[in-house]
Amino acid sequence: MSEQNDPLPNDPRQPQTPTEDLSEALRELAAGYVLGDLASEEAEQFHQLMSQNPALKAEVHSLQQALELMPYALPEENPRHEVRSKILQAVQAEINSATLAPVGEIAPPNRKLQADSPTPFSSSPVGKLLRKKLTWLIGGIAIGYAAALGFNALKTARLGPSLATTSTPTRQATQIDQVWLGFHDLSQDHNNALREIDGPVDFTVQSVSEIPDQVKYFPVTLATLPVLPESKGKLLGGSNCKLGKTAGLRLSYQVDMPLDTSSKASSESPSTSQETSQIVSVYQLEPNEEQFPGFYDSYITSRQPDGTTIVLWREERYVYALVADLPLPELSSLAQSITPI
Amino acid sequence: MLYDRYASLVYSIALKALRSVSEAEDLTQEVFMILARWQSASEGGPRAYDPQRGSLAKYLTTLTRSRAIDRLRSRTTYRKYLDRWSHTQTAMDLATPLSDATKQERRALVVAALSTLKSKQREVLELSYYEGRSQKEISEQLGVPLGTVKSWARRGLLQLREKLRDQLGDEPQ
């Protein structure tokens, strides 16, 4: 970072920004514009100028950015501790009184998750049909809320003791917390797997057809395995896992991310493409209604406070999930590429 | 965790603007509720954003400020200022203005940059930024001509930008 010693605005500076060429008068006008102190005709004229002068536009942008950095200089004040729990209560109150309208955020698996269809899913025939089934989804939405706010510690504090006893808050709240715990378990299991010294997998296979024999805790058939197409990722192997009380199979995939610096790495050379690849954990879980309520025909997405992303869905007998550190749209598109073999 | 990471930023701005603990707490709650709904509504959807920390901080800063000024406005009128802001905000992207400086480094940089401003320049900028006061109001409050207030604010901002130039992101295309 270079030191800038001379603050005079009209001093010629390093030529890397186009704002250097502007006259001082124009720059003051730009500052006035950002500060909102121009008279309306002035502002209009300035707008006109800006539309013709990219340097001026850049100047305005840079001044806006500088202004927005001001709060970082504020003395650091923290809200009282109660504020945190008040927010959670407010979130739950909202959930309890929520309508089902937000169901539109959950797309059925046969639809593109990213599709920006203006038709709310909840008003489609399928949506209506699913409504009753999906009452719990309010809880699913709570995942988004909770994840957004990162109420990890709070939940542990609240739930730790109460789970062990028979204390029952409202049913809704219990469900929400359990849903949350499911997601939390998934992200933890994924991250623990990544930290394993011996790598994320317990067994390796030559072909996916060998997987069912390796699965310990519950029976799976080849047809139900969540297998990514070879073009999407390389199967590193699998592990038997337990997420709370839920038994599961975790398949670890190496997925190459198209970074601009590298051509698509060959799937045969995982070691040379480390920086461009990601481990994606693909889970097949035995449904545990308490932990993962029934959410047929929907993908649920969640971004955990640590950045881990999860896409979860249910088909027939199993719950499936993808967990990785990828943007949700990419993870969602991987989820959609999983087909029964 | 997002709340733990950003509560202090949100609350500090709220407190600076509203000068009341209870109102600042109330606003903090409002902001995080908005974030939660927004996040929830955009999960996996076309509006899902890349939660780079810088951009989220910026989103929260903007949101907190504009809501704080909303509340101040309900006490008196700051319409012109708000109109200006609602206008410029639409042009803002969510790109992070800061590269990868840590929170403390960032604080130090901004504090240092602000400390190079004349105290009047800084005061005027703060009154305008946090409380949404018009320059006319500020000129009345400080008992100086409007032109002087204007000049302090503009030069202060230009100076601040010069000092923070290295911290600012690229210009938008």
Side-chain angles (χ1 to χ4, degrees):
Chain A
M1 202 187 317
S2 69
E3 279 293 319
Q4 306 224 356
N5 299 317
D6 189 349
L8 287 177
N10 58 349
D11 195 49
R13 314 199 61 80
Q14 297 131 0
Q16 70 215 27
T17 61
T19 61
E20 315 304 333
D21 304 331
L22 301 171
S23 74
E24 192 179 354
L26 211 47
R27 294 172 62 164
E28 287 219 8
L29 216 53
Y33 178 79
V34 169
L35 291 164
D37 72 21
L38 303 187
S40 44
E41 327 75 82
E42 257 184 320
E44 210 158 296
Q45 282 171 8
F46 185 84
H47 225 243
Q48 194 78 34
L49 276 177
M50 198 164 61
S51 65
Q52 296 152 3
N53 185 347
L56 194 53
K57 201 172 167 189
E59 174 79 355
V60 164
H61 182 71
S62 133
L63 289 167
Q64 267 170 352
Q65 286 194 327
L67 192 61
E68 285 156 19
L69 287 177
M70 289 220 316
Y72 289 103
L74 288 176
E76 198 169 331
E77 305 273 3
N78 285 295
R80 286 176 304 142
H81 216 68
E82 298 91 281
V83 175
R84 209 173 196 261
S85 34
K86 261 177 79 180
I87 294 175
L88 183 64
Q89 278 168 17
V91 165
Q92 291 197 334
E94 196 158 302
I95 290 157
N96 290 339
S97 64
T99 66
L100 275 169
V103 169
E105 292 141 23
I106 314 284
N110 57 353
R111 271 177 53 172
K112 268 187 171 293
L113 282 174
Q114 307 92 318
D116 50 347
S117 156
T119 318
F121 176 53
S122 53
S123 65
S124 72
V126 191
K128 279 178 182 151
L129 205 119
L130 283 173
R131 268 184 173 212
K132 279 178 194 156
K133 242 165 139 184
L134 296 183
T135 315
W136 66 272
L137 263 183
I138 296 166
I141 288 153
I143 298 161
Y145 280 32
L149 300 180
F151 277 114
N152 247 350
L154 180 62
K155 284 189 168 283
T156 313
R158 278 182 64 247
L159 283 178
S162 69
L163 271 190
T165 69
T166 50
S167 145
T168 45
T170 72
R171 187 161 176 251
Q172 189 98 49
T174 310
Q175 186 182 53
I176 290 157
D177 291 333
Q178 282 163 343
V179 173
W180 163 256
L181 289 176
F183 275 76
H184 180 71
D185 290 344
L186 275 170
S187 106
Q188 263 207 333
D189 183 83
H190 167 75
N191 286 308
N192 288 344
L194 294 188
R195 281 194 288 270
E196 286 283 329
I197 297 164
D198 298 327
V201 302
D202 293 338
F203 59 83
T204 57
V205 290
Q206 295 299 313
S207 135
V208 290
S209 60
E210 295 168 34
I211 296 176
D213 289 340
Q214 302 280 349
V215 179
K216 280 193 220 151
Y217 300 130
F218 57 104
V220 301
T221 61
L222 194 53
T224 62
L225 286 176
V227 176
L228 278 179
E230 275 181 29
S231 60
K232 298 279 184 180
K234 179 178 161 61
L235 178 64
L236 302 176
S239 307
N240 293 290
C241 60
K242 285 261 183 174
L243 303 176
K245 280 184 259 171
T246 303
L249 163 70
R250 180 183 69 241
L251 299 178
S252 298
Y253 278 90
Q254 178 186 318
V255 172
D256 291 332
M257 295 303 295
L259 286 190
D260 45 3
T261 48
S262 66
S263 57
K264 279 229 158 162
S266 147
S267 60
E268 265 83 77
S269 54
S271 54
T272 60
S273 55
Q274 285 286 329
E275 286 166 34
T276 64
S277 56
Q278 277 268 345
I279 303 293
V280 175
S281 295
V282 181
Y283 290 88
Q284 180 172 14
L285 305 165
E286 203 161 32
N288 168 341
E289 298 300 339
E290 284 175 5
Q291 198 172 19
F292 301 108
F295 33 79
Y296 291 92
D297 305 316
S298 311
Y299 283 116
I300 313 288
T301 61
S302 170
R303 179 180 284 117
Q304 298 295 298
D306 63 2
T308 306
T309 46
I310 299 176
V311 176
L312 188 80
W313 70 101
R314 178 165 180 175
E315 278 173 24
E316 297 286 333
R317 292 198 44 214
Y318 301 100
V319 171
Y320 297 93
L322 259 65
V323 185
D325 191 8
L326 285 175
L328 275 174
E330 314 227 25
L331 198 65
S332 302
S333 114
L334 281 178
Q336 290 171 72
S337 72
I338 290 181
T339 46
I341 34 178
Chain B
M1 294 190 281
L2 291 192
Y3 178 83
D4 294 328
R5 186 182 294 274
Y6 294 113
S8 146
L9 176 68
V10 167
Y11 180 72
S12 300
I13 295 170
L15 192 62
K16 174 83 176 174
L18 299 170
R19 299 182 187 184
S20 145
V21 167
S22 62
E23 275 204 72
E25 285 180 352
D26 199 49
L27 179 56
T28 302
Q29 172 169 340
E30 182 185 339
V31 165
F32 279 97
M33 293 294 289
I34 291 169
L35 174 67
R37 293 186 203 115
W38 188 73
Q39 173 106 349
S40 162
S42 60
E43 285 294 277
R47 285 170 57 240
Y49 75 125
D50 188 13
Q52 285 183 34
R53 275 155 193 156
S55 57
L56 188 53
K58 180 167 174 174
Y59 170 76
L60 289 172
T61 302
T62 306
L63 182 62
T64 308
R65 266 193 61 251
S66 63
R67 294 284 163 153
I69 294 171
D70 271 346
R71 289 175 182 231
L72 289 169
R73 182 174 64 162
S74 70
R75 296 180 192 161
T76 104
T77 304
Y78 296 104
R79 176 167 298 283
K80 178 156 177 272
Y81 181 89
L82 275 183
D83 288 349
R84 166 90 271 120
W85 267 95
S86 60
H87 177 74
T88 54
Q89 273 173 32
T90 55
M92 280 197 265
D93 55 27
L94 281 173
T96 169
L98 285 158
S99 36
D100 45 10
T102 68
K103 205 169 157 188
Q104 288 313 316
E105 285 169 344
R106 176 185 318 184
R107 176 179 303 282
L109 287 165
V110 181
V111 167
L114 274 170
S115 74
T116 70
L117 270 60
K118 296 196 177 82
S119 64
K120 288 296 180 193
Q121 291 179 334
R122 182 174 177 168
E123 184 180 359
V124 167
L125 277 184
E126 289 189 346
L127 284 170
S128 157
Y129 182 83
Y130 292 112
E131 299 181 30
R133 295 199 180 235
S134 74
Q135 297 189 341
K136 187 160 175 293
E137 286 173 303
I138 297 172
S139 114
E140 282 160 12
Q141 185 184 334
L142 301 181
V144 293
L146 180 59
T148 308
V149 171
K150 195 169 281 196
S151 159
W152 280 342
R154 291 177 177 188
R155 285 174 180 274
L157 177 56
L158 286 164
Q159 162 84 356
L160 182 66
R161 194 273 313 275
E162 286 310 307
K163 286 296 175 186
L164 291 174
R165 201 187 270 287
D166 287 347
Q167 307 307 313
L168 303 177
D170 294 331
E171 289 81 12
Q173 221 21 277

